[in-house]
Amino acid sequence: MAQQLDYHQLRAIFTRFRDANPEPRSELEYVNAYTLLVAVVLSAQATDAGVNRATRPLFARVTTPAQMLELGEEGLIEYIKTIGLFRNKAKNVIALSRILVEQYGGEVPDSRAALQALPGVGRKTANVVLNVAFGYPAQAVDTHIFRVGNRTGIAVGKDVLAVERAIEDNVPVEFQRHAHHWLILHGRYICKARKPRCPDCLIRDLCPYEEKTE
């Protein structure tokens, strides 16, 4: 675990991320806040690519909680059976859709507490929805961000909540909106777990990681 980088180091790092990719996007495909919520729930312990393959035909038919309830659990399973834990996820999607219809007029709430009260929705999922759908500077910390944050000193913490707070506390405000996207993409494609691509890293000279690969 590296030491937490200071303000000037973080500003330099995120300036490079922004210059390279000014408007990073979620790799999950969606058409509105509801389909984003469903996609993120389905993505737990699954790849974005695998979820996208399943949801393209699903979201061509279903874009609202009411339509999902009309499709039903067994109907949903037919679309998502290639995704891991699909039966439990189908139950959660139908249950959260019913709550959205009955309690929120079919709309997705823009409150972390309200989102986390929905079946199958944890803090990370809620933060993704708040950030991507509503534009809030919420930090959805996954395994990639946890690794990158601690390896590079960008956001140091012993657990995901500590890393989330480290981003919020240390990263300059102007970068908060897209911070978690830049870090996820960096972790997926450059700062990988087993063989980080250090020669291709745009922040290599600013990174304190001692075991840089050649």
Side-chain angles (χ1 to χ4, degrees):
M1 183 183 292
Q3 285 191 326
Q4 178 66 51
L5 299 180
D6 66 25
Y7 172 86
H8 299 289
Q9 292 167 314
L10 290 173
R11 173 166 287 285
I13 284 171
F14 280 94
T15 296
R16 292 187 191 180
F17 284 148
R18 182 177 62 188
D19 290 346
N21 187 4
E23 292 288 332
R25 295 279 185 262
S26 171
E27 294 190 319
L28 285 172
E29 297 173 8
Y30 63 97
V31 296
N32 56 23
Y34 173 68
T35 54
L36 173 66
L37 173 61
V38 171
V40 181
V41 169
L42 295 177
S43 72
Q45 296 177 287
T47 65
D48 287 359
V51 172
N52 290 338
R53 282 193 294 272
T55 57
R56 280 182 202 124
L58 173 65
F59 294 160
R61 175 176 176 181
V62 173
T63 59
T64 69
Q67 290 172 342
M68 188 67 78
L69 293 177
E70 187 177 324
L71 179 65
E73 188 175 322
E74 291 304 316
L76 175 57
I77 284 173
E78 286 303 305
Y79 284 96
I80 67 169
K81 59 188 177 184
T82 56
I83 300 174
L85 307 173
F86 65 90
R87 291 192 182 279
N88 189 54
K89 289 176 181 179
K91 284 185 172 61
N92 285 335
V93 168
I94 295 299
L96 72 82
S97 298
R98 183 167 289 110
I99 292 171
L100 292 179
V101 168
E102 294 176 353
Q103 298 183 23
Y104 297 99
E107 299 295 324
V108 175
D110 60 346
S111 152
R112 184 183 286 117
L115 287 167
Q116 284 190 248
L118 298 172
V121 179
R123 186 179 182 90
K124 184 181 76 171
T125 297
N127 282 347
V128 170
V129 174
L130 290 173
N131 182 280
V132 176
F134 298 109
Y136 296 142
Q139 308 302 330
V141 178
D142 67 353
T143 54
H144 295 299
I145 294 180
F146 184 79
R147 176 181 69 255
V148 171
N150 281 294
R151 178 185 279 171
T152 64
I154 289 173
V156 176
K158 292 182 178 179
D159 55 42
V160 293
L161 186 56
V163 169
E164 179 184 329
R165 287 175 174 160
I167 296 171
E168 293 173 346
D169 290 346
N170 295 290
V171 174
V173 170
E174 68 183 278
F175 302 112
Q176 292 272 338
R177 168 73 199 283
H178 294 310
H180 94 274
H181 274 131
W182 285 317
L183 293 173
I184 285 173
L185 294 171
H186 193 62
R188 279 182 181 167
Y189 299 111
I190 301 296
C191 198
K192 297 180 178 182
R194 293 185 180 177
K195 293 184 178 179
R197 294 170 52 197
C198 296
D200 302 320
C201 178
L202 56 80
I203 63 167
R204 183 177 184 177
D205 59 312
L206 300 172
C207 173
Y209 182 54
E210 293 182 356
E211 299 172 34
K212 287 188 172 74
T213 59
E214 294 304 323

